[in-house]
Amino acid sequence: QVQLVESGGGLVQPGGSLRLSCAASGSIFKIHRMGWYREAPGKERELVATINSDGYTNYADSLKGRFTISISRDNAKNTVYLHMNSLKPEDTAVYYCNLYASYENFWGQGTQVTVSS
C-alpha cells in the first residue's frame, strides 16, 4: 500500500512564498516520476511540475521561473518538494501530490494554498 502525505499549504499574501512537501512511503517498487498538480475552484486539475527518477523536470509554462520542484531520498523515503515564489492570487488552488510508480498513479489528499491579502 502506498501513502502520500502532503504538508506546507496555507494562507500567504501576494508576493509571498511557500514550500509544499510530499512524503511517499509504502510498497513502492520503482518510482518513475513524482510531481504536483493543482485544482482551482471551477477548473480542471492541471500540471504544476514533475520530476523524473533521472532528475528531469517539467513545468507548466506559466509557472516557470516562480516554482521549483525537487526530490530527496532519505532512508528509503522519497520526498518531493515544491518551492513557490512570487505567489499570485491566481495560484490559489488545492495542490495534489502525484506519484507514478510501477506503472500506476497515486494521489495525495491535497493541500490548500490560498494567496490573498
Side-chain angles (χ1 to χ4, degrees), residues 64-111:
K64 288 179 181 177
R66 293 196 298 123
F67 288 17
T68 303
I69 190 169
S70 62
I71 193 168
S72 70
R73 297 178 181 86
D74 186 19
N75 293 329
K77 181 179 285 187
N78 293 273
T79 303
V80 64
Y81 301 96
L82 184 69
H83 301 259
M84 305 184 292
N85 297 315
S86 302
L87 283 162
K88 304 175 182 180
E90 52 263 43
D91 294 319
T92 295
V94 178
Y95 285 69
Y96 293 92
C97 176
N98 173 261
L99 167 68
Y100 182 53
S102 302
Y103 305 104
E104 286 189 70
N105 264 311
F106 301 92
W107 293 93
Q109 79 283 0
T111 185

Side-chain angles (χ1 to χ4, degrees), residues 11-96:
L11 174 64
V12 63
Q13 291 187 341
S17 299
L18 278 177
R19 187 185 78 162
L20 305 182
S21 301
C22 172
S25 61
S27 302
I28 303 171
F29 178 64
K30 180 174 176 57
I31 292 178
H32 304 295
R33 184 179 64 240
M34 294 187 76
W36 293 93
Y37 292 73
R38 69 185 184 184
E39 195 170 312
K43 295 187 177 181
E44 292 186 352
R45 191 171 298 189
E46 63 177 3
L47 167 73
V48 175
T50 59
I51 182 166
N52 290 358
S53 58
D54 61 2
Y56 175 81
T57 57
N58 183 43
Y59 294 90
D61 287 342
S62 62
L63 302 177
K64 288 179 181 177
R66 293 196 298 123
F67 288 17
T68 303
I69 190 169
S70 62
I71 193 168
S72 70
R73 297 178 181 86
D74 186 19
N75 293 329
K77 181 179 285 187
N78 293 273
T79 303
V80 64
Y81 301 96
L82 184 69
H83 301 259
M84 305 184 292
N85 297 315
S86 302
L87 283 162
K88 304 175 182 180
E90 52 263 43
D91 294 319
T92 295
V94 178
Y95 285 69
Y96 293 92

